[in-house]
Amino acid sequence: MKNFIFIPDTNKAAGLGHLFRCYQYSNFINNNYKIIFLINKNFDTTCLINKNASLIKINYIFFSDLKKTLNVLKNKNKKLYTFIDSYNKKLHSIDFSFYSIKHIAILDFKIQNNADFILDHTFKRKKNFYPIKSTNKTFIGLKNFPITRKIKLKKRNIILINFGSIKNKNLISKFLIFIKNLNLDSSFKIIIINKFFNKKDLFKINMRNKVICYKFFENIDNIYEKLYFTIGACGISLYEKCFYHIPSISKCVAKNQYFNFVNFLSSNCILSFDQVMKIDLQNPKNSKKILTKIHKVENNLKKYFNYNKNKKHLNLFFKKL
């Protein structure tokens, strides 16, 4: 039996994007095969998807010594396929050919690696981004993003604020004030997902009755299907929201997000957080202009992000493995 091992970056300094991207890729694997996630023993387990919430059965192994754990798995199983999703150079320098039949690196940046295959779904990434090597087969482009299903948009009366794992309460508070001044319909609610932002932080803004705060939300599709628009960073989750055709007001909060920000913005697939925040809402006409721009972004997303193409492409990729 084939065994697929995913190694997302689960160090304390890493966000959750790597983990959830691996979840998405694992959903393309045949249910008859065993799927194992190797998780750092110091990782907060409340952020792990339970077995009932996932489309596939996940076996979690918590490690302190990755090479030792891989060696144990190699001795117990014959057919191992390893996936690594991390910015950690040391992890990518490991010779995975010693442990597995095939090794796949899930990348959105340039890093030295010895993978048999590279999966890079970066929007508008060019083929010459990676050096050509005979040992590497590189798959570049939007069709490699692991989108597993469509969502049905319901009553869209929620605005989501989610900047990932960054600790920046001022950034969130700043936009809450902006939404307040936008004078949206009273039926709208605001959801904040951030482990550092608390309900008590809302006292200064006087919006407690409009805002729901979560440290973590497991099945975020339940929120996505009710979103009018979202505010957040330009990381992995931006792709997911774009495939669901949910407009985003985005801000680059890390160096590795800059390429995404520039290319999404140049294709009118997002609105710039900084530019939107400069708009004077004292003029009521400007509120209408912002909402019009949000609708234009939504229509433009439908031109670039096609769920069916990705599903067909990735099903074929994993079948050939």
Side-chain angles (χ1 to χ4, degrees), residues 177-183 276-288 290:
I177 295 170
F178 184 85
I179 294 175
K180 187 177 180 180
N181 294 332
L182 199 55
N183 290 321
V276 167
M277 293 301 295
K278 292 177 182 178
I279 297 173
D280 181 13
L281 292 181
Q282 296 298 319
N283 185 344
K285 291 182 179 180
N286 286 339
S287 293
K288 290 183 179 180
I290 292 172

Side-chain angles (χ1 to χ4, degrees), residues 102 115-119 133-140 317:
K102 294 292 181 183
D116 298 297
F117 300 99
I118 292 174
L119 281 175
K133 293 182 179 179
S134 59
T135 55
N136 281 0
K137 291 185 178 179
T138 306
F139 296 86
I140 295 177
F317 174 83

Side-chain angles (χ1 to χ4, degrees), residues 146-291:
I147 191 76
T148 53
R149 71 183 186 92
K150 291 182 179 179
I151 62 169
K152 292 183 179 180
L153 296 176
K154 300 179 180 179
K155 184 180 179 182
R156 300 172 65 181
N157 61 348
I158 293 176
I159 298 168
L160 174 66
I161 301 177
N162 184 6
F163 284 99
S165 301
I166 67 164
K167 187 177 181 180
N168 196 327
K169 293 183 179 182
N170 290 333
L171 193 64
I172 296 172
S173 298
K174 188 178 179 181
F175 201 83
L176 283 173
I177 295 170
F178 184 85
I179 294 175
K180 187 177 180 180
N181 294 332
L182 199 55
N183 290 321
L184 292 170
D185 187 273
S186 59
S187 64
F188 276 93
K189 295 289 183 182
I190 302 163
I191 290 179
I192 299 171
I193 302 177
N194 188 279
K195 61 183 178 181
F196 302 107
F197 197 88
N198 300 301
K199 200 77 173 176
K200 64 182 181 180
D201 296 311
L202 296 168
F203 278 113
K204 299 175 183 178
I205 310 169
N206 192 25
M207 291 184 70
R208 285 177 61 85
N209 62 328
K210 299 289 294 182
V211 179
I212 305 170
C213 297
Y214 294 103
K215 300 292 182 185
F216 169 73
F217 200 93
E218 185 172 296
N219 191 359
I220 199 166
D221 281 357
N222 292 338
I223 294 178
Y224 283 162
E225 62 190 10
K226 299 176 184 177
L227 283 185
Y228 180 37
F229 66 91
T230 178
I231 301 94
C234 298
I236 299 166
S237 65
L238 176 60
Y239 286 85
E240 190 171 47
K241 288 175 280 192
C242 286
F243 271 101
Y244 291 155
H245 302 151
I246 298 169
S248 295
I249 298 173
S250 303
K251 183 176 179 64
C252 178
V253 296
K255 288 182 179 180
N256 61 290
Q257 295 180 5
Y258 182 73
F259 192 89
N260 281 339
F261 177 76
V262 170
N263 286 286
F264 276 78
L265 189 62
S266 66
S267 299
N268 297 314
C269 289
I270 58 172
L271 293 176
S272 166
F273 177 91
D274 293 329
Q275 290 175 9
V276 167
M277 293 301 295
K278 292 177 182 178
I279 297 173
D280 181 13
L281 292 181
Q282 296 298 319
N283 185 344
K285 291 182 179 180
N286 286 339
S287 293
K288 290 183 179 180
K289 286 181 181 179
I290 292 172
L291 300 181

Side-chain angles (χ1 to χ4, degrees), residues 13-130:
L16 297 176
H18 302 286
L19 173 66
F20 283 96
R21 182 161 54 183
C22 285
Y23 280 138
Q24 293 284 63
Y25 276 115
S26 68
N27 283 318
F28 288 92
I29 296 172
N30 191 304
N31 288 331
N32 295 323
Y33 301 139
K34 191 173 183 180
I35 297 172
I36 300 169
F37 272 59
L38 299 187
I39 306 294
N40 191 295
K41 69 172 187 177
N42 297 318
F43 186 72
D44 182 1
T45 57
T46 59
C47 296
L48 299 177
I49 288 181
N50 64 57
K51 294 178 181 179
N52 295 325
S54 179
L55 299 178
I56 42 83
K57 183 180 179 181
I58 297 172
N59 301 275
Y60 292 110
I61 294 178
F62 298 90
F63 68 88
S64 55
D65 186 325
L66 179 59
K67 289 184 179 180
K68 185 177 180 180
T69 302
L70 286 169
N71 204 44
V72 171
L73 288 169
K74 176 190 173 184
N75 293 332
K76 287 184 178 180
N77 306 280
K78 291 184 179 180
K79 295 183 178 179
L80 295 183
Y81 295 80
T82 50
F83 293 74
I84 187 165
D85 188 338
S86 174
Y87 294 145
N88 190 316
K89 292 181 180 180
K90 289 184 179 179
L91 289 179
H92 283 284
S93 67
I94 296 173
D95 184 6
F96 281 92
S97 64
F98 180 76
Y99 307 104
S100 58
I101 296 173
K102 294 292 181 183
H103 176 60
I104 298 91
I106 302 167
L107 296 175
D108 52 24
F109 66 109
K110 192 179 293 185
I111 191 172
Q112 196 75 24
N113 70 86
N114 49 31
D116 298 297
F117 300 99
I118 292 174
L119 281 175
D120 184 343
H121 58 70
T122 305
F123 187 38
K124 290 193 171 183
R125 177 79 84 213
K126 294 182 179 179
K127 291 183 178 180
N128 62 359
F129 179 77
Y130 294 100

